[in-house]
Amino acid sequence: MSHPHRALRTTAVGAVSASLVAGAALGPAPAAQAAPAAAPRAASSTAVRFVDIPGDGGTILKANVFTPKDAKSGAAYPAIVLPTSWAMPQIEYVAQAQKLANSGYVVVSYNSRGFWQSGGKIETAGPEDIADASKVIDWTLKNTPADPKRIGMAGVSYGAGISLLAAGHDKRIKAVAAMSGWADLIDSIYSGRTQHSQAATLLGGLGALTGRPSAELQQTLKDFLGSNLDKEDEMIAWGKKRSAATYLDRINKNGAAIMLGNAWGDTLFPPNQYAKFYERLTGPKRLEFRPGDHATAEATGLLGLPNDTWTNTQRWFDRYLKGQDNGIDKEQPVQLKSRSTGDYEGYPDWKSVGPTQKKIAMSGTTTIRTNVDSGANGGIAILSNALDQFLKIPPMASVPLLPRRYTGVWQSETYTTPQRVRGTAELHTTLTSTKESGTLVAYLYDVGPLGLGKLVSNAPYTFHGKTPGKPFGVDLELFSTAYDVPAGHKLALVVDTVDPLYIEHNPSGAQLTFSSPQADPSYVSVPLREQ
């Protein structure tokens, strides 16, 4: 077993320290406290009610309730349940809850167990959290004018993950809007068998600041960040239990209408795993991808500002809980917003997004040394892709100046027309290592005439137990994206071995050799939108 370089974990901690310091200003999460009993139903008031809801095992969940303005006695209204995001307080959704209540919904938002004043421990969307969702629905039906046949769930990040999981366990849920969430936790933070260290450190740190992590979560994080391969199978089983993809058959059988939304640059839950999950859903469904990083696409809506993600969320519920013929089900179900133009594009399904595949040959034999960050990297979690979203400034590197001792570089021809990259680029190569373990990170850059590369996509890949000196095949999906390469530019595939976003497993002095056998050529396949 190889050991990751300690410096990388130090970098990961440093990268998120600003977020943790900001969270510390809020103070540690207080223990759960009893609140006055819930008031009787208020049919004529839109003021928020703060209530206690008994969750699984009687654990108190702090919640707030909005009812429609001028609700009539005896009438029943569609209801939406909103679990809070990781580390967020119970007032997270107040602005959107008020909007939904004003348009005729009962809205119940609750603080997920283990955070802030809710009781219990942080179970990371475990069985207790799934059971909590059903308990909140039970309470909602008993204490508000909610219609039992018109129940929806929605949330951002952690709330999205819990909502999707609940849809596979509670048949009463008829519609879900899951924003910036995950369907496959392993494919999110352990893609390419590589720990996404900044993501895991950020989640762990914020959880400790604002809640009470369970012993199981603490041990899992310790094993994960410590690269304890002896516990790999246990960690994967832990993640699968918390992944909606594991319960896909149940979700399809229950038939909830599911809307998924995410950002192209989400460094916690990359878009690929949502796209794969979407394709396997059989009920009413919608997939939206936008520029940005984790939860940045929804953030302005949480402040009550105009936000198309939240607008479409309400349209989704209006269609599938109220039965309104608002046209959202007649639109192309896959809606993508280009990082380059900001324009929306509609597609009938995910496989139609990038139907044309253009290959960049990885010819010849290239050997690189490990353990050094070449200058090509995926940026800083949350920050870098937010800059791309708002200022169109993605992570950059001067491709001609990248040290060839530590990087492999393969470039396309100069394009005479714009190349509209859409979907998932795929790397196929033959690799030989001098050690049994190792990590590589692949980057796809848009390279201008002066050699400045703008990051289009990236992804890590780790191997263990290989025979030194013996070639083996590598197939790696880069993170999905929508990016326009201008005419006069090139695409470049860059490979190195160190990136602050990830833990690397290259023993000191290791070398990686990329080859392209005649019978099995190496390449990166780039998906392009039809011109």
Side-chain angles (χ1 to χ4, degrees):
M1 171 184 171
S2 65
H3 297 280
H5 294 275
R6 300 297 188 266
L8 288 180
R9 272 179 284 176
T10 302
T11 302
V13 173
V16 301
S17 60
S19 297
L20 302 186
V21 169
L26 301 173
Q33 299 174 357
R41 296 182 188 177
S44 60
S45 173
T46 57
V48 60
R49 289 192 290 141
F50 291 91
V51 301
D52 287 353
I53 298 178
D56 184 50
T59 296
I60 294 299
L61 305 174
K62 296 295 181 176
N64 53 64
V65 182
F66 289 86
T67 52
K69 183 179 181 181
D70 300 324
K72 297 179 181 179
S73 178
Y77 298 87
I80 298 173
V81 173
L82 303 169
T84 56
S85 303
W86 187 272
M88 291 295 285
Q90 70 184 89
I91 61 171
E92 175 185 11
Y93 300 115
V94 162
Q96 289 300 323
Q98 181 69 72
K99 289 183 179 182
L100 289 166
N102 289 344
S103 65
Y105 291 93
V106 170
V107 184
V108 178
S109 172
Y110 70 95
N111 224 143
S112 302
R113 71 164 49 223
F115 288 104
W116 295 94
Q117 290 187 323
S118 281
K121 302 289 186 178
I122 301 172
E123 303 294 346
T124 324
E128 300 88 346
D129 294 291
I130 299 171
D132 283 345
S134 291
K135 291 292 187 181
V136 172
I137 293 173
D138 292 342
W139 185 94
T140 301
L141 294 175
K142 184 178 180 181
N143 294 277
T144 75
D147 185 341
K149 296 182 179 179
R150 295 186 291 169
I151 302 293
M153 285 193 70
V156 175
S157 185
Y158 194 47
I162 291 174
S163 296
L164 279 179
L165 286 161
H169 291 78
D170 196 320
K171 296 179 181 179
R172 296 173 296 182
I173 299 170
K174 304 303 181 185
V176 170
M179 297 166 274
S180 288
W182 77 92
D184 188 327
L185 191 57
I186 299 301
D187 201 24
S188 294
I189 62 173
Y190 195 47
S191 70
R193 208 180 176 187
T194 308
Q195 298 99 320
H196 296 210
S197 55
Q198 285 189 15
T201 303
L202 176 61
L203 291 171
L206 289 176
L209 277 173
T210 62
R212 297 164 300 282
S214 67
E216 184 181 29
L217 172 58
Q218 293 180 63
Q219 185 62 50
T220 300
L221 277 172
K222 180 180 179 181
D223 291 336
F224 184 76
L225 292 172
S227 301
N228 187 350
L229 286 181
D230 291 338
K231 295 292 185 68
E232 184 179 36
D233 289 343
E234 292 181 29
M235 289 186 283
I236 289 174
W238 180 88
K240 285 184 175 180
K241 184 186 292 187
R242 291 158 170 80
S243 297
T246 302
Y247 311 99
L248 178 71
D249 290 345
R250 294 188 196 178
I251 292 171
N252 283 334
K253 183 178 180 180
N254 291 347
I258 294 179
M259 172 179 148
L260 305 171
N262 206 352
W264 292 120
D266 195 319
T267 43
L268 271 62
F269 308 128
N272 303 43
Q273 46 93 30
Y274 248 16
K276 293 174 184 176
F277 181 74
Y278 169 84
E279 284 290 87
R280 298 172 63 199
L281 290 170
T282 57
K285 59 184 180 178
R286 182 179 176 93
L287 178 67
E288 300 183 352
F289 284 145
R290 297 175 174 83
D293 207 306
H294 185 66
T296 61
E298 301 85 17
T300 55
L302 294 175
L303 300 175
L305 300 174
N307 182 281
D308 52 358
T309 306
W310 283 101
T311 296
N312 286 343
T313 293
Q314 181 166 336
R315 292 176 65 216
W316 191 250
F317 287 130
D318 287 347
R319 175 65 185 89
Y320 290 103
L321 295 184
K322 288 185 177 180
Q324 290 184 2
D325 187 12
N326 58 13
I328 194 168
D329 55 324
K330 298 179 177 65
E331 297 171 359
Q332 296 277 41
V334 176
Q335 293 286 323
L336 312 181
K337 190 173 185 180
S338 168
R339 290 168 50 198
S340 303
T341 66
D343 297 331
Y344 280 101
E345 304 166 357
Y347 300 88
D349 49 40
W350 178 249
K351 64 178 177 290
S352 300
V353 168
T356 301
Q357 298 290 322
K358 181 171 287 189
K359 292 183 177 180
I360 301 172
M362 298 172 61
S363 56
T365 299
T366 300
T367 298
I368 63 174
R369 291 165 173 79
T370 63
N371 312 126
V372 172
D373 186 344
S374 68
N377 63 67
I380 300 172
I382 309 298
L383 176 62
S384 296
N385 290 312
L387 289 174
D388 183 37
Q389 175 186 358
F390 295 110
L391 301 176
K392 290 188 169 51
I393 303 176
M396 299 182 190
S398 175
V399 173
L401 297 181
L402 291 174
R404 296 311 195 258
R405 183 181 180 89
Y406 303 105
T407 55
V409 179
W410 298 266
Q411 299 191 67
S412 72
E413 74 277 11
T414 299
Y415 297 119
T416 57
T417 59
Q419 306 294 298
R420 296 179 174 86
V421 180
R422 298 291 186 276
T424 309
E426 298 180 3
L427 167 66
H428 173 76
T429 190
T430 297
L431 181 64
T432 306
S433 174
T434 59
K435 304 291 184 179
E436 67 172 14
S437 295
T439 298
L440 63 90
V441 185
Y443 309 89
L444 189 65
Y445 282 102
D446 161 22
V447 183
L450 299 180
L452 181 63
K454 296 182 177 181
L455 188 64
V456 177
S457 184
N458 79 100
Y461 178 89
T462 293
F463 59 89
H464 296 288
K466 298 298 183 181
T467 302
K470 184 177 179 179
F472 60 94
V474 171
D475 290 285
L476 174 64
E477 288 187 348
L478 276 64
F479 300 137
S480 305
T481 195
Y483 183 96
D484 294 352
V485 180
H489 286 215
K490 301 177 180 180
L491 279 171
L493 178 74
V494 174
V495 178
D496 72 1
T497 64
V498 175
D499 190 308
L501 286 172
Y502 314 112
I503 288 179
E504 56 120 336
H505 296 262
N506 296 296
S508 297
Q511 297 183 26
L512 303 180
T513 297
F514 300 86
S515 58
S516 184
Q518 185 174 358
D520 186 19
S522 295
Y523 60 84
V524 59
S525 180
V526 180
L528 301 177
R529 180 187 177 191
E530 293 181 347
Q531 301 298 322

